[in-house]
């Protein structure tokens, strides 16, 4: 008998895995907060004998070195990865015994494309593959991005992705479970597909890498590549160097005077409450990144790397969860934090501030009108599918450095559903702009009577 447990990292759109028999197990692509993996092993009553990486990650800080240290496990990393820490280098074809009693072993399969050194691992029971940990190679309906290492390598890596996908399809049985690390909302995925599980057989009939010839695949893949989160440039080198153990102890408590002082110093004060509560009242100058949204991705993408961040949360639990999520992307220690509500976070004599929210129907009622501007903060690829006539386009991840490009007057800011619009509205509000956050689905724009263009 064997098991495979999935450890979800939903905020980043990733999965890690724990697989083994009755006595020992292997952890695959573990997250920074390794206590979750250790707890999974404890529930199974197994010892983690091996920790493996499919590649050096760009989108999250690995917990591999720390997990291996804490458990005494062998740490397996692709031999071609340029890292500066001790590890067991893995070569194509290497076979590693995981649980002898269960007949479990891992077989390394070189699958370059997402990175030049990318390696997948077939989980074999008594010599027969039952699953493959495909990392950023073969995903559900797609493959991992080939453009994260070096732009000049993108085409070559895209062709390697195609070949790697075909290798897995050719060498593994159709009923082999495909267990990718990326592809559940991660920006490491070249596109997003529906579904939470798949097999080699299913991918043969649905995956773009397996249903298109290499030239068509490379052309379509390259044309569809989206923006790369800025923090990837920092996380990759951090993983190559070997990240330090995570520290999730509570940050220093900030009172109202300290919050004001940090704002005055130009530091980022981030309010984790939901966007409705933030719009109704918040500390002037603070930014809104919802704890329940893609907090780590967007905060790490937008904040100047290394700038101190103070977190404001409605509860100790919300703060702890946010701190854990941010540690996964290299924002290790908040400068300070406070819990409660805006009235607790402003100095005596000051009051919280607010800005209005609206729908696309409300926007339609305001247009055309002089002094009313529409700001679209979606990515280029999203806007290409349709945009509101006359709107100004500044993607959310570039807005903080382009505030001077936002038209004067009353600014109605929208995204696709409301989360990013709330972030953008908070940036504009902090800059003293007259802003309305559109908290609505973009699908409602045309229905509301707004003119939607596609070219």
């Amino acid at each position: 008998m064997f098991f495979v447990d999935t450890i979800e990292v939903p905020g980043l759109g990733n999965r890690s895995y724990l697989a083994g028999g009755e006595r020992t197990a292997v952890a695959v692509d573990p997250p920074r907060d390794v206590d979750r993996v250790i707890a999974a092993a404890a529930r199974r009553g197994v010892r983690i004998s091996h920790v493996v990486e499919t590649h050096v990650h760009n989108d999250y800080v690995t917990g591999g070195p720390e997990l291996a240290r804490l458990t005494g496990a062998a740490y397996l990393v692709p031999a071609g990865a340029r890292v500066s820490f001790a590890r067991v280098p893995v070569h194509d074809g290497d076979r590693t015994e995981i649980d002898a009693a269960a007949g479990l072993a891992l077989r390394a399969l070189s699958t370059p494309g997402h990175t030049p050194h990318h390696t997948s691992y077939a989980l074999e029971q008594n010599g027969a593959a039952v699953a493959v940990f495909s990392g950023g190679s073969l995903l559900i309906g797609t493959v991992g991005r080939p453009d994260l290492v070096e732009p000049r390598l993108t085409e070559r890596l895209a062709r390697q992705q195609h070949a790697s996908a075909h290798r897995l399809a050719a060498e593994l049985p159709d009923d082999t479970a495909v267990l990718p690390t990326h592809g559940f909302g991660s920006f490491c995925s070249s596109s997003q597909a529906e579904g939470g599980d798949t097999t080699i057989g299913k991918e043969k009939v649905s995956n773009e890498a397996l249903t298109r010839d290499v030239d068509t695949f490379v052309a379509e893949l390259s044309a569809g590549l989206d923006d790369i989160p800025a923090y990837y440039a920092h996380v990759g080198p951090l993983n190559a160097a070997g990240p330090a153990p995570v520290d999730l102890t509570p940050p220093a408590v900030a009172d109202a005077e300290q919050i004001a002082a940090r704002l005055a110093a130009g530091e980022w004060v981030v309010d984790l409450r939901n966007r409705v509560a933030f719009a109704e009242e918040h500390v002037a100058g603070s930014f809104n990144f919802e704890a329940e949204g893609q907090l780590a991705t967007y905060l790490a993408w937008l904040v100047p790397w290394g700038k101190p961040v103070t977190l404001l949360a409605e509860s100790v639990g919300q703060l702890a969860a946010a701190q854990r999520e941010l540690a996964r992307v290299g924002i290790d220690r908040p400068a300070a934090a406070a819990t409660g509500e805006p009235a607790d976070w402003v100095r005596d004599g000051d009051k919280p501030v607010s800005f209005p929210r609206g729908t696309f129907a409300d926007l339609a009622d305001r247009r055309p009108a002089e002094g009313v501007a529409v700001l679209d903060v979606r990515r280029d690829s999203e806007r290409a599918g349709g945009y509101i006539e006359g709107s100004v386009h500044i993607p959310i991840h570039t807005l903080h450095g382009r505030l001077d490009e936002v038209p004067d007057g009353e600014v109605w800011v929208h995204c696709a559903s409301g989360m990013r619009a709330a972030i953008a509205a908070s940036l504009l509000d902090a800059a003293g702009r007259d802003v309305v956050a559109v908290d609505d689905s973009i699908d409602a724009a045309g229905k509301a009577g707004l003119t939607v263009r596609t070219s």
Side-chain angles (χ1 to χ4, degrees):
M1 294 294 292
F2 72 93
F3 71 87
V4 177
D5 288 343
T6 300
I7 300 168
E8 299 278 359
V9 191
L12 295 175
N14 287 328
R15 290 177 176 176
S16 297
Y17 301 94
L18 181 74
E22 293 185 0
R23 297 180 179 179
T24 51
V26 57
V28 181
D29 288 342
R32 184 82 180 281
D33 45 332
V34 298
D35 57 325
R36 299 181 64 209
V37 186
I38 293 172
R43 287 192 294 270
R44 288 285 186 177
V46 295
R47 176 177 63 87
I48 298 174
S49 59
H50 294 81
V51 177
V52 304
E53 304 280 8
T54 57
H55 61 293
V56 175
H57 307 282
N58 287 290
D59 63 326
Y60 71 92
V61 181
T62 181
E66 176 67 355
L67 184 59
R69 184 186 69 82
L70 290 173
T71 62
Y75 187 31
L76 279 59
V77 178
R82 296 181 179 178
V83 297
S84 56
F85 51 81
R87 89 286 193 199
V88 178
V90 178
H91 299 85
D92 184 44
D94 284 356
R95 198 167 185 275
T96 304
E97 187 177 271
I98 300 301
D99 190 301
L104 285 181
L106 283 183
R107 179 165 60 94
L109 296 162
S110 178
T111 48
H114 186 49
T115 66
H117 61 267
H118 191 283
T119 299
S120 299
Y121 300 88
L123 179 66
E124 298 179 339
Q125 185 174 40
N126 299 322
V130 293
V132 59
F133 300 106
S134 56
S137 182
L138 190 66
L139 311 185
I140 299 177
T142 186
V143 295
R145 295 177 66 156
D147 62 327
L148 301 181
V149 177
E150 158 63 55
R152 291 171 294 183
L153 296 178
T154 297
E155 182 176 351
R156 182 194 309 175
L157 290 175
R159 291 183 178 276
Q160 290 180 338
Q161 276 289 51
H162 188 269
S164 292
H166 280 262
R167 180 188 183 186
L168 294 177
E171 294 190 17
L172 300 174
D174 282 357
D175 60 355
T176 305
V178 177
L179 305 175
T181 300
H182 305 310
F184 311 97
S186 168
F187 278 86
C188 277
S189 175
S190 61
S191 63
Q192 298 301 326
E194 298 297 325
D197 58 81
T198 190
T199 62
I200 289 291
K202 290 179 181 178
E203 291 307 303
K204 283 182 177 180
V205 298
S206 63
N207 194 293
E208 55 198 24
L210 299 174
T211 58
R212 293 166 172 77
D213 66 85
V214 62
D215 290 332
T216 301
F217 168 77
V218 170
E220 293 181 352
L221 178 65
S222 300
L225 293 173
D226 215 331
D227 300 298
I228 300 173
Y231 75 91
Y232 281 22
H234 303 281
V235 170
L238 185 61
N239 282 329
V246 67
D247 180 2
L248 296 177
T249 57
V253 177
D255 60 22
E257 290 291 340
Q258 291 168 330
I259 292 171
R262 291 187 177 279
L263 283 168
E267 298 181 10
W268 277 38
V269 173
V270 174
D271 191 324
L272 301 168
R273 296 173 303 139
N274 72 70
R275 57 185 181 262
V276 177
F278 182 88
E280 288 178 351
E281 59 173 3
H282 55 271
V283 177
S286 62
F287 302 140
N288 182 215
F289 290 79
E290 292 180 298
E292 300 304 317
Q294 291 178 280
L295 167 65
T297 294
Y298 282 100
L299 180 54
W301 196 342
L302 270 64
V303 67
W305 196 254
K307 183 174 281 291
V309 174
T310 294
L311 300 178
L312 306 180
E314 60 188 4
S315 67
V316 171
Q318 185 182 65
L319 174 61
Q323 184 179 350
R324 177 181 290 266
E325 189 169 347
L326 293 176
R328 294 172 184 154
V329 293
I331 302 178
D332 280 6
R333 297 291 300 163
T339 57
E341 56 187 32
D344 303 319
W345 303 330
V346 296
R347 295 174 297 187
D348 291 341
D350 292 341
K351 293 182 178 180
V353 297
S354 65
F355 56 75
R357 297 165 51 249
T359 64
F360 283 111
D362 296 326
L363 175 57
D365 289 341
R366 288 285 289 135
R367 299 187 83 205
E370 188 174 346
V372 174
V374 179
L375 175 63
D376 180 351
V377 296
R378 296 174 299 159
R379 296 186 299 278
D380 292 344
S381 58
E382 296 173 283
R383 186 171 171 88
Y387 59 91
I388 297 172
E389 183 178 54
S391 61
V392 174
H393 181 224
I394 304 178
I396 181 67
H397 57 278
T398 68
L399 179 60
H400 194 254
R402 299 174 60 186
L403 292 174
D404 58 347
E405 298 178 34
V406 179
D408 294 335
E410 182 181 271
V411 181
W412 289 65
V413 58
H414 80 87
C415 57
S417 62
M419 181 195 74
R420 288 171 294 172
I423 297 172
S426 71
L427 296 177
L428 291 166
D429 177 71
R433 299 301 305 273
D434 183 8
V435 64
V436 180
V438 178
D439 196 353
D440 202 356
S441 169
I442 189 63
D443 296 335
K447 299 173 183 177
L450 296 165
T451 301
V452 177
R453 301 290 187 190
T454 55
S455 61

